[in-house]
Amino acid sequence: SVSDEADAWTQVQSILHGRDPELWASWFQHLSETDRAGGSVTLMAPSRFMADYISQKWSQRLLAAYSRVDPSIRTVRVESAK
């Protein structure tokens, strides 16, 4: 359901914020979850630069946070709105 998906992303954001509030404020807070199915999550970033940077630098941290909330998640993709 939609509320379950929102709850999971809220929990992931909380984990990321708790681990490093400055990193969260700079990067993760700007993301939104657009899809979660079949062990894969797609996140949307506001710019291509941000999407690429997060993919390169922080994809493992995102995946680690997701796997704590939903152990079925195996991959996290970050795409850009533009």
Side-chain angles (χ1 to χ4, degrees), residues 1 10 14 16 19-20 23 34 42-43 47-48 55 57 66 76 79 82:
S1 73
T10 299
S14 178
L16 294 167
R19 181 163 175 192
D20 191 333
L23 185 66
T34 57
T42 303
L43 301 174
S47 69
R48 165 59 53 194
S55 292
K57 297 277 186 181
Y66 257 106
V76 176
E79 299 178 346
K82 307 183 185 48

Side-chain angles (χ1 to χ4, degrees), residues 24-73:
W24 178 85
S26 297
W27 299 100
F28 300 133
Q29 73 163 328
H30 303 292
L31 299 173
S32 57
E33 183 183 90
T34 57
D35 188 56
R36 179 154 49 96
S40 179
V41 169
T42 303
L43 301 174
M44 191 68 70
S47 69
R48 165 59 53 194
F49 167 77
M50 187 171 277
D52 290 346
Y53 189 87
I54 292 172
S55 292
Q56 290 167 15
K57 297 277 186 181
W58 306 117
S59 59
Q60 286 305 115
R61 187 172 295 199
L62 282 166
L63 183 58
Y66 257 106
S67 63
R68 282 173 60 183
V69 174
D70 182 348
S72 72
I73 298 300

